[in-house]
Amino acid sequence: VFNYTRGHHRLWEWPPSYRHITVDIGGGGDYVSVQAAVDAVPDNNMVNVIIHIRPGLYIEKVEVPATKPYITFKGAGRDVTVIEWHDRACDPGPDGAQLRTYRTASVTVLANHFTARNISFKNTAPAPLPGMEGWQAAAFRISGDKAFFTGCGFYGHQDTLCDDAGRHYFKDCYIEGSIDFIFGNGRSMYKDCEIHSTATRFGSIAAQFRTSREEKTGFAFVNCRVTGSGPIYVGRAMSQYSRIVYSYTYFDDIVAHGGWDDWDHKNNKNKTAFFGVYKCWGPGAAAVSGTSWARELDFDTAHPFLAKSFVNARHWIANSDA
């Protein structure tokens, strides 16, 4: 890890040098596919690699391996630069076995220090009907540490965004889906994002997988907007110590009665999960805090989930970005 001092005793973790690569589906850049640009980055990369992805629909499955940190996907706008694929959990993989959820992602990032700006990620598999098995279809999976997303779109139905592991910061993003469409065991802040439900009969936004009181993971939503169709649960206890907090967030009138779900109605998760609400508003807000096990937080309890220090962002996100 690089440690460069910037400002007053500030340790900065990004390398000082840059390399620029251009992807243009029309052939006017260095590569015509995003994966080819990623493949061109050497293992154990030690420079900031900015992959400029020009407008276009890139129909490909992309993976950034763990050996390639410091990569940025820079699109031309989330409405014009799109990477999409269509795998479902029940589809066979290269080995003939079912892919299962985590391997369905159109884009998978295993590397640390990944950034995406002004680009969309889609999984175009059809929406499942309630009760259908094997139709999970992720648009994006982030499993690396210290990832930053701004101006990005994530589009899918069931399990759109696999916020799997590591510290992540989402700013001004649009995330769309129907069932558990933000899920995993990441330690993540969602700031100024629009969370859009496409649920038809029933849906859910966030399913978080924290497994012990000691784990620092959880999802913190700050100044977001929850829109779309319902009814939806705003959070589900995917594991025993699931942790989800909504602060200063607007809710459309789409929240299901009770607001939250304990996943399997066993193990008394309502005693161990941490579901919090702080100064939320809108016609659906009353239902979000309307269950006994979603706490209406005071400022002191909410504060750790309001500051970017929740993801230790001081050393890896510029002040201008946060």
Side-chain angles (χ1 to χ4, degrees), residues 14-159:
W14 291 83
S17 52
Y18 285 81
R19 176 186 175 193
H20 294 269
I21 300 173
T22 301
V23 180
D24 186 334
I25 203 163
D30 302 309
Y31 300 95
V32 296
S33 79
V34 179
Q35 188 66 57
V38 172
D39 293 345
V41 178
D43 282 346
N44 307 309
N45 169 57
M46 299 294 266
V47 300
N48 289 301
V49 178
I50 315 296
I51 300 178
H52 301 267
I53 306 171
R54 289 183 178 158
L57 177 58
Y58 296 83
I59 302 178
E60 56 175 311
K61 194 158 176 167
V62 178
E63 181 171 309
V64 180
T67 53
K68 299 187 180 188
Y70 305 113
I71 286 178
T72 294
F73 285 4
K74 189 173 184 181
R78 76 171 187 226
D79 297 330
V80 295
T81 303
V82 180
I83 303 173
E84 73 171 45
W85 198 247
H86 48 257
D87 279 340
R88 298 170 302 171
C90 61
D91 292 337
D95 57 0
Q98 284 193 355
L99 284 172
R100 304 179 71 88
T101 304
Y102 284 77
R103 291 166 63 201
T104 63
S106 303
V107 176
T108 297
V109 174
L110 305 174
N112 295 342
H113 285 292
F114 175 82
T115 299
R117 297 177 183 272
N118 307 322
I119 184 170
S120 282
F121 308 98
K122 294 187 179 184
N123 189 314
T124 56
L129 295 170
M132 293 183 85
E133 296 286 328
W135 281 53
Q136 297 92 334
F140 196 96
R141 172 184 164 196
I142 177 63
S143 303
D145 193 24
K146 299 175 183 175
F148 175 68
F149 302 84
T150 181
C152 294
F154 302 86
Y155 296 82
H157 296 288
Q158 184 172 358
D159 294 355

Side-chain angles (χ1 to χ4, degrees), residues 208-232:
Q208 207 277 330
F209 199 70
R210 180 169 170 252
T211 55
S212 75
R213 287 188 203 279
E214 287 66 48
E215 230 176 344
K216 294 180 177 179
T217 61
F219 298 156
F221 296 90
V222 182
N223 197 39
C224 293
R225 290 183 62 82
V226 174
T227 62
S229 55
I232 55 161

